[in-house]
Amino acid sequence: MDTWHSIVRDSITTIDDLKKHFDGDFSALDDIITQYPMRINSYLVDLIKKHGSVIGRQFIPHPDEIQDTACTADPLAEEQLSPAPNLVHKYPDRVLLLVSGQCAAYCRFCTRKRIVGTAKMRITPDDLDAALRYIHSHTEIKEVLISGGDPLLLSDNRLAAILEKLRAIDSVEIIRIGSRIPATLPMRITCELVEMLGKFHPLYINTHFNHPAELTPEAEEACIKLADAGIPLGCQTVLLRGINDDAQTLQCLFRKLLKIRVRPYYLFQADLSLGTNHFRTTTDQGIAIMRQLYGHLSGMAIPTYALDAPGGKGKIPLTPSYIKQKGDILYFTNFLGEPCCYPEPRNFR
Ligand SMILES: *Cc1c(COP(=O)(O)O)cnc(C)c1O
Ligand code: SF4
């Protein structure tokens, strides 16, 4: 058995396990973890002990999870937008294919909290074949985004079999894997895995780091290995109240990511997923943070701040509004707060 397998197997999954590692009153959490499973592996236990709540709140259950009256179970309407089991077809040219029901750790703010890690997310070979048939027969699908759960929690062989079947479909140009494993179980990024992934180019990986403390030497090594295999890496960060909702923390995170060749891709406004309301910030706060990043940080390190519209309506970019137009003249202030203007070409109106 690989080391990463045994690390996952020996994770904290019960309140008794949790009490062995952390102090606190966890008595109210039993009900929560029967509904929303807990999994905290030893790599993350060490990280929580070292950095405290900025990591701990992402993985240790909280009583607020069952006090949530603002959010809904499936805010992105993924179930309505699903033409085949575990397949979400929302945009014309790309689909989301869920290939794993499990993750290396369960994030308390997960968008698919209603199903991830539970028996509701069982992915059978028949289901997968049905999804692949749909992709095959819809030649407008140019990109398949493989997610879950975490696809990299599958064995190398199972993942390779899925990638092979996708590569056998001529109309599929791009394969993108979404995985939090570089942040939650970096030892899973083995040389064998990386070598296997390198056979399926053009293959992209979008990973998910939320706080600079997650960029340990192990996590950095995992990303560098993937980048060295020619896999372009992006990062989808979630804006989380009390964890990363300030410009300084995000600036530090995005700079560190760029250094290890991970390009910040999205900063997500938290979804309206039931049990996660306590993580939400306001969009005003998010936009104010973005305003403090533009100009002060390499453009390559600045992600698109976006909210995924409820009801499966798609991602909406949220950008600070810089421009006031008066007649033919645009007025704005730059990143230093200096006023400037730009005249539109008059003869083109
Ligand atoms: C987010 C998402 C995608 C990918 O969107 P990009 O803007 O290309 O990253 C595709 N399908 C679904 C269902 C999604 O939620
Ligand atoms: S790794 Fe992703 S899918 Fe898994 S629990 Fe965390 S946010 Fe959800």
Side-chain angles (χ1 to χ4, degrees):
M1 196 188 266
D2 283 329
T3 25
W4 69 267
H5 268 123
S6 52
I7 293 174
V8 174
R9 185 198 55 201
D10 298 337
S11 296
I12 295 178
T13 57
T14 66
I15 301 303
D16 280 344
D17 291 345
L18 193 64
K19 284 179 183 158
K20 279 182 212 148
H21 292 277
F22 301 104
D23 296 329
D25 176 16
F26 301 127
S27 52
L29 301 183
D30 256 323
D31 285 350
I32 293 174
I33 63 167
T34 48
Q35 203 174 337
Y36 304 122
M38 167 174 63
R39 178 179 277 171
I40 307 174
N41 63 49
S42 58
Y43 170 79
L44 290 173
V45 169
D46 291 345
L47 210 58
I48 295 168
K49 287 185 176 162
K50 197 161 166 204
H51 297 282
S53 68
V54 291
I55 311 293
R57 287 192 54 226
Q58 297 189 52
F59 302 103
I60 297 174
H62 191 278
D64 284 353
E65 290 176 41
I66 46 171
Q67 311 287 331
D68 181 356
T69 53
C71 298
T72 52
D74 181 15
L76 305 180
E78 292 189 330
E79 278 151 35
Q80 280 93 288
L81 291 166
S82 181
N86 309 309
L87 189 76
V88 186
H89 195 179
K90 172 152 85 179
Y91 296 111
D93 70 331
R94 54 210 192 277
V95 288
L96 175 65
L97 174 64
L98 308 180
V99 300
S100 162
Q102 296 192 28
C103 303
Y106 295 121
C107 313
R108 306 322 295 175
F109 51 84
C110 180
T111 285
R112 297 194 190 98
K113 195 175 172 91
R114 71 187 186 283
I115 46 173
V116 159
T118 75
K120 289 178 204 155
M121 205 171 178
R122 195 167 293 123
I123 291 155
T124 67
D126 283 351
D127 285 349
L128 201 57
D129 283 344
L132 289 164
R133 276 198 303 277
Y134 178 90
I135 296 168
H136 192 100
S137 63
H138 287 76
T139 51
E140 73 276 18
I141 298 169
K142 302 297 178 210
E143 177 174 342
V144 177
L145 210 173
I146 303 176
S147 182
D150 203 312
L152 297 187
L153 207 61
L154 299 181
S155 69
D156 291 3
N157 287 339
R158 275 191 68 193
L159 185 58
I162 295 169
L163 294 171
E164 265 159 29
K165 286 180 183 166
L166 282 173
R167 273 285 165 252
I169 303 173
D170 285 340
S171 41
V172 173
E173 295 168 358
I174 304 288
I175 298 176
R176 186 192 330 177
I177 295 177
S179 171
R180 207 179 173 197
I181 271 184
T184 53
L185 187 69
M187 51 296 281
R188 166 67 184 109
I189 310 299
T190 60
C191 296
E192 294 76 24
L193 173 72
V194 168
E195 195 190 313
M196 181 276 280
L197 293 173
K199 293 180 184 146
F200 296 97
H201 281 308
L203 178 109
Y204 288 68
I205 292 183
N206 270 354
T207 183
H208 174 174
F209 288 90
N210 294 326
H211 193 278
E214 292 165 27
L215 287 159
T216 63
E218 294 94 328
E220 295 191 345
E221 191 194 317
C223 293
I224 289 168
K225 253 190 209 162
L226 291 165
D228 281 347
I231 302 170
L233 301 172
C235 182
Q236 306 194 163
T237 298
V238 184
L239 185 61
L240 296 168
R241 190 161 97 203
I243 293 172
N244 63 7
D245 56 344
D246 63 277
Q248 211 183 348
T249 302
L250 287 177
Q251 181 171 133
C252 176
L253 173 67
F254 297 152
R255 273 190 203 285
K256 285 187 158 192
L257 285 169
L258 206 58
K259 247 174 99 180
I260 53 167
R261 287 177 281 161
V262 179
R263 172 118 163 57
Y265 176 64
Y266 276 131
L267 172 66
F268 280 123
Q269 171 66 17
D271 287 330
L272 285 168
S273 181
L274 189 64
T276 69
N277 192 46
H278 56 296
F279 286 108
R280 290 200 298 148
T281 56
T282 64
T283 58
D284 276 356
Q285 211 183 333
I287 286 171
I289 290 172
M290 291 308 290
R291 202 183 258 281
Q292 292 173 71
L293 298 182
Y294 285 112
H296 297 277
L297 182 61
S298 162
M300 291 200 296
I302 298 187
T304 302
Y305 175 40
L307 76 76
D308 217 341
K313 300 298 181 189
K315 293 177 181 73
I316 313 290
L318 301 172
T319 317
S321 53
Y322 285 95
I323 297 168
K324 281 200 176 67
Q325 185 159 4
K326 279 189 197 145
D328 285 337
I329 315 265
L330 309 183
Y331 294 91
F332 40 84
T333 44
N334 76 351
F335 71 105
L336 297 171
E338 300 160 337
C340 6
C341 62
Y342 177 88
E344 291 280 30
R346 222 160 264 165
N347 44 350
F348 287 110
R349 305 198 88 206

